Amino acid sequence: MQFDSFADFVAMGGYGFYVWLSFGCTLLTLGAVVVDSILKRQALTRSISQIKAKQDRMLAAREVKERL
Amino acid sequence: MWKWLHPYAKPEASFRLAGAFVPWFTALAVLCLSIGTVWGLLFAPSDYQQGDSFRIIYVHVPAAILSMGAYLTMAIAGFIALVWQIKQSEIYVAAVAPIGAGFTFIALLTGAAWGKPMWGTWWVWDARLTSELILLFLYLGVIALYNAFDDKALAGRSASILSLVGVINLPIIHYSVEWWNTLHQGASITKFAKPSIDSAMLWPLLINIVGFGAFLGALSLVRFRTELLKREQRRPWVRQLLLGTGEA
């Protein structure tokens, strides 16, 4: 362990602002890419099932019309 | 000899293969990134010249190396897509570009945050920094180009061509610190001779490089799978997979 106390660790020998800026932005950027990847997948699943539901409704309506 | 590889040309098979790798890459990424970062921040000795500011190396260098590594894989996939017209290669190009752009952004930003205390400036227009900025623009160009066309076959071809043309930037980035005078230091670990960084500092760095690589692997496969499903969404296998129905 290179630091004597938590305050020491946060201070990073006077470079705290730059070190935490770097690690913070890295975490945010990586997190954003992860979240974007997950949201894209969910949006796709939703849109495919919506298209499928619409097709099902159209098929059902056509069947009703044919029966009349 | 390579015949065992042929079945994976089927979209359904490559979708499943990619899915099988995701949990392993994810586990490796989480493991390496946590070990490397904690080790680098808490246990690595501080630098005799740079003090604790040198700890930025543990995100800066992995992001920078992998920003170029990701570009190389994207360009190779682009080449394969253009020459052999493999659809999955085009999809990989589109899948990896946003992750590469993220890595490049991290490398630039942490570089600036490291440059300010050490060089006295956030930014200089020198060769290393400028060529890395161009790498970010190349990534953004590939993303924009792929999204600009509704015809995804055309989009994939265009993005592949751009990624292939942009590969010229990679040696420029790598050798920029040797070819031009620059504030940026030379290589510490990528030369063939003994690394010029002490092993107590080198180990967490190597672990984080592996971690960033595994992160790239996991997320590029996740995005590859999404894009593949999108391109194939009218096919029965996708309907079956997502909705559990055979007919579509």
Side-chain angles (χ1 to χ4, degrees):
Chain A
M1 187 80 85
Q2 296 292 321
F3 301 95
D4 297 327
S5 67
F6 184 71
D8 222 23
F9 173 63
V10 172
M12 279 285 155
Y15 295 113
F17 172 71
Y18 302 106
V19 172
W20 297 120
L21 178 70
S22 298
F23 279 82
C25 289
T26 301
L27 192 69
L28 278 181
T29 311
L30 294 185
V33 180
V34 170
V35 168
D36 177 66
S37 307
I38 294 170
L39 289 183
K40 281 233 168 74
R41 173 64 191 263
Q42 287 175 346
L44 178 70
T45 312
R46 232 181 356 257
S47 98
I48 290 179
S49 48
Q50 273 166 2
I51 292 170
K52 172 76 167 61
K54 191 178 167 194
Q55 284 175 347
D56 286 350
R57 278 200 306 277
M58 284 164 68
L59 273 178
R62 198 180 302 158
E63 269 171 35
V64 170
K65 209 185 280 175
E66 277 165 7
R67 232 179 284 144
L68 286 175
Chain B
M1 181 186 173
W2 293 101
K3 248 189 163 153
W4 59 271
L5 206 55
H6 292 181
Y8 291 109
K10 207 175 147 199
E12 196 177 347
S14 41
F15 180 84
R16 285 188 202 289
L17 182 69
F21 278 106
V22 169
W24 298 101
F25 275 125
T26 308
L28 187 66
V30 170
L31 192 74
C32 287
L33 287 177
S34 32
I35 293 176
T37 304
V38 170
W39 190 348
L41 278 176
L42 278 172
F43 298 100
S46 55
D47 187 72
Y48 79 106
Q49 276 183 326
Q50 303 196 10
D52 288 316
S53 76
F54 105 98
R55 295 182 197 281
I56 294 173
I57 201 174
Y58 295 115
V59 283
H60 177 71
V61 166
I65 288 179
L66 268 301
S67 73
M68 293 166 70
Y71 197 93
L72 190 62
T73 65
M74 184 173 84
I76 291 171
F79 180 78
I80 293 171
L82 289 173
V83 174
W84 290 288
Q85 313 203 333
I86 310 248
K87 179 164 56 179
Q88 282 93 328
S89 288
E90 284 174 8
I91 293 174
Y92 178 80
V93 169
V96 79
I99 311 167
F103 283 1
T104 313
F105 179 72
I106 292 171
L108 288 168
L109 217 141
T110 57
W114 199 0
K116 184 61 186 166
M118 289 302 116
W119 301 339
T121 176
W122 296 97
W123 184 263
V124 280
W125 289 102
D126 81 351
R128 173 54 75 82
L129 282 68
T130 308
S131 55
E132 183 76 9
L133 184 65
I134 290 172
L135 187 71
L136 179 64
F137 293 157
L138 281 168
Y139 274 126
L140 297 180
V142 168
I143 297 169
L145 204 52
Y146 188 79
N147 290 323
F149 297 96
D150 284 330
D151 175 2
K152 285 305 171 196
L154 182 61
R157 208 154 59 230
S158 314
S160 299
I161 291 172
L162 179 58
S163 65
L164 206 52
V165 171
V167 91
I168 184 69
N169 194 32
L170 289 187
I172 296 178
I173 297 174
H174 184 72
Y175 290 109
S176 57
V177 287
E178 291 173 27
W179 291 345
W180 292 284
N181 279 320
T182 167
L183 281 179
H184 201 284
Q185 67 174 77
S188 306
I189 55 166
T190 49
K191 52 190 175 189
F192 293 106
K194 198 172 169 294
S196 53
I197 169 173
D198 189 75
S199 63
M201 295 172 169
L202 181 61
W203 273 112
L205 181 59
L206 293 180
I207 292 172
N208 257 7
I209 291 172
V210 173
F212 268 74
F215 179 92
L216 175 71
L219 266 230
S220 60
L221 289 179
V222 168
R223 300 185 76 96
F224 169 83
R225 276 158 60 91
T226 306
E227 190 59 31
L228 186 63
L229 283 183
K230 200 173 189 175
R231 294 266 295 255
E232 296 269 303
Q233 58 179 295
R234 289 174 205 292
R235 301 284 160 84
W237 72 270
V238 175
R239 295 285 166 98
Q240 199 163 14
L241 192 84
L242 292 182
L243 308 166
T245 52
E247 70 276 21

